Amino acid sequence: MKHNFKNQFFIACLLVVTGFSACKKDSKTDPIVEPPVVVVPPKPDPVPTLATVKTWLVDKSATNETAALFYNMKTLAKTKIMFGHQDATFQGYGWEREAGRSDVKEVTGSLPAVYGWDFLNITTFQRNSWFTQYAADVRSRVIDAYKVGGVNTFAWHYWNPVSSVESVDGVGGKNASFYFDTEPYQAVDAILPGGAKHEVYKRSLDQIADFVASLKTADGTMIPIIFRPYHEFDGSWFWWGKNHTTGLQYVELYKFTVNYLKNTKNLHNILFAWSPDKNFTSEATYLNWYPGDDYVDIVGTDNYGDLAKGNSPVTASNKLKIVSDYAIKKNKIAALTETGESKLPQVDWYTQMLLKVLTVKKVELAYVLAWTNRTDAFYVPYKGQASESDFRKFKDDSYTVFGDNIPKMYEIK
């Protein structure tokens, strides 16, 4: 019996050792208790001052609202992306300039977060009441977008200043095509300093400057905008694109444009964006004709072709990764500055193509902008269109930001 008792005691101790890390003959000694593991969450990056953010920008004298917009877009891009639409409240499928309308809102119940505009008919060589009213209507809608917290971005499909005929004292004038395939006039060299059309070009910039200076609220607050001149230069369809100028001339033109608006016209409510088309596969090829970090706040890309029906989302996503990585490395903002598929032949394009392109790789993009809606070529669904339900699913995804869930973009807290 004594032998069995000893065996039982030995087994009991072994169980205690296994289960509780100790079995001690001295019952007065407390067992060793491991301290609980305390998980310390990582500290968030300290919120910079507006003065600090301004040192990151092309314009070191940017307005407070412009600096806050840059910071908030950069911060938001870490986890989400804003959705934008060209001419969102200006025209749509079967309508134009009807106050209060938006195809995006009619389908989703919300306005977009980003509003795309164009200086095309503001820097016009024709001066008549139609163009005056056009500028007034765009101005009104830009102000409305700002009032509801939206972000305004301007492209510039600039009429060719060499082939266009200037107006004289605001009378007459003719707008030539901005496409080379219809009127192939060399222009970039002619509008640079010392060129025969340089003064013509400066008058076009003056038109932009006058318009941007008029973008203000009732209390005089200047409304920040993103300006994206001379996009898709890696294609040959625009007169500023490859085959029609040189990289050195392009860069000189871009730099002159930035300096003229910022320094000569003293506009300090502009963030400057730069965006080639999709014709790159590496950082080195992406940066062909890059004006330099001192002249660009937002790096982007326009990409329609890689997102066409039947393509793999990986192709476009790889390119967005290049853009995003460069923005992170250089303390810039990245964006998919134009995209879409005309008439949406792929019914689930927004969830099965665009959303996948944006999420296949880990990227930080501030916004994606779909192109404009017209009766003949629409890029977001209109009420009753076949892609309507898919677009609502895209809108409801936790990654996307529309007007109804956009954070405050014009102040830093």
Side-chain angles (χ1 to χ4, degrees):
M1 293 294 296
K2 287 182 181 181
H3 177 75
N4 290 340
F5 175 78
K6 287 181 180 179
N7 285 344
Q8 291 172 2
F9 177 78
F10 175 77
I11 292 170
C13 284
L14 183 61
L15 289 173
V16 171
V17 169
T18 304
F20 298 99
S21 302
C23 179
K24 302 202 175 186
K25 294 181 180 179
D26 186 355
S27 61
K28 294 181 181 181
T29 304
D30 293 330
I32 297 173
V33 178
E34 296 289 340
V37 176
V38 178
V39 178
V40 180
K43 293 182 179 179
D45 294 335
V47 177
T49 64
L50 283 168
T52 297
V53 175
K54 290 178 185 182
T55 66
W56 305 344
L57 305 181
V58 170
D59 187 357
K60 312 305 180 190
S61 299
T63 66
N64 289 346
E65 292 77 15
T66 305
L69 175 60
F70 179 91
Y71 173 76
N72 288 320
M73 284 198 295
K74 187 170 179 59
T75 301
L76 187 63
K78 295 180 184 298
T79 56
K80 296 181 180 294
I81 189 169
M82 294 185 291
F83 177 78
H85 187 210
Q86 185 76 11
D87 300 316
T89 53
F90 192 85
Q91 66 181 28
Y93 184 80
W95 61 271
E96 183 177 341
R97 305 196 206 187
E98 293 182 26
R101 290 204 68 176
S102 163
D103 286 343
V104 173
K105 185 174 182 179
E106 290 173 9
V107 170
T108 69
S110 172
L111 290 165
V114 176
Y115 299 73
W117 310 105
D118 202 322
F119 284 126
L120 168 66
N121 291 321
I122 293 170
T123 56
T124 175
F125 294 97
Q126 288 182 292
R127 310 308 299 171
N128 58 44
S129 59
W130 187 92
F131 292 99
T132 301
Q133 187 60 51
Y134 177 93
D137 289 344
V138 172
R139 180 185 300 108
S140 174
R141 283 159 175 77
V142 168
I143 294 171
D144 288 345
Y146 176 77
K147 286 180 178 178
V148 297
V151 178
N152 291 287
T153 177
F154 280 79
W156 192 14
H157 290 89
Y158 183 25
W159 303 106
N160 189 314
V162 171
S163 58
S164 299
V165 177
E166 297 177 69
S167 61
V168 179
D169 296 327
V171 179
K174 176 176 76 72
N175 289 330
S177 174
F178 44 80
Y179 289 100
F180 250 101
D181 57 3
T182 56
E183 297 197 32
Y185 295 91
Q186 296 291 328
V188 173
D189 185 54
I191 64 177
L192 289 173
K197 295 288 186 177
H198 183 59
E199 293 303 316
V200 173
Y201 182 56
K202 287 201 296 184
R203 285 195 287 274
S204 293
L205 291 180
D206 290 342
Q207 290 176 311
I208 288 179
D210 290 344
F211 182 84
V212 173
S214 74
L215 299 176
K216 58 179 69 174
T217 61
D219 65 2
T221 300
M222 298 297 295
I223 295 174
I225 69 163
I226 299 165
F227 180 32
R228 187 171 60 96
Y230 303 119
H231 62 300
E232 299 177 12
F233 55 85
D234 51 334
S236 60
W237 43 89
F238 294 132
W239 55 260
W240 57 82
K242 71 176 186 178
N243 301 334
H244 310 301
T245 187
T246 68
L248 290 176
Q249 289 173 338
Y250 173 90
V251 167
E252 184 180 357
L253 177 62
Y254 190 102
K255 288 182 175 181
F256 178 86
T257 302
V258 171
N259 287 330
Y260 190 82
L261 295 174
K262 175 171 63 80
N263 301 329
T264 303
K265 305 305 292 188
N266 292 311
L267 292 170
H268 302 294
N269 56 326
I270 303 176
L271 296 174
F272 294 96
W274 174 83
S275 62
D277 198 63
K278 63 182 180 62
N279 302 308
F280 61 93
T281 56
S282 66
E283 181 182 290
T285 53
Y286 174 68
L287 295 175
N288 282 343
W289 295 20
Y290 182 57
D293 292 336
D294 290 340
Y295 291 88
V296 176
D297 296 301
I298 299 168
V299 291
T301 180
D302 293 5
N303 197 339
Y304 293 87
D306 289 337
L307 285 82
K309 182 179 180 180
N311 288 342
S312 168
V314 175
T315 301
S317 185
N318 286 339
K319 296 175 184 180
L320 289 179
K321 178 69 172 170
I322 293 169
V323 180
S324 172
D325 286 351
Y326 187 80
I328 294 169
K329 179 170 64 175
K330 294 291 187 173
N331 204 27
K332 305 291 181 185
I333 289 172
L336 179 50
T337 41
E338 278 185 38
T339 193
E341 190 167 25
S342 179
K343 299 184 181 180
L344 294 168
Q346 180 180 341
V347 175
D348 57 359
W349 184 87
Y350 272 92
T351 60
Q352 299 307 306
M353 178 60 75
L354 180 57
L355 190 58
K356 289 185 177 181
V357 165
L358 298 173
T359 56
V360 165
K361 298 290 179 70
K362 179 67 177 81
V363 294
E364 295 182 11
L365 303 175
Y367 63 91
V368 53
L369 182 82
W371 199 238
T372 190
N373 272 22
R374 303 187 308 269
T375 304
D376 60 338
F378 54 88
Y379 290 83
V380 303
Y382 54 87
K383 195 68 177 174
Q385 200 270 334
S387 297
E388 190 177 3
S389 62
D390 183 68
F391 188 52
R392 282 195 292 268
K393 291 178 183 177
F394 173 82
K395 189 266 179 187
D396 291 339
D397 191 275
S398 60
Y399 183 52
T400 60
V401 174
F402 280 64
D404 60 353
N405 63 337
I406 188 173
K408 291 183 177 180
M409 302 302 291
Y410 299 101
E411 59 185 71
I412 294 179
K413 288 187 176 181

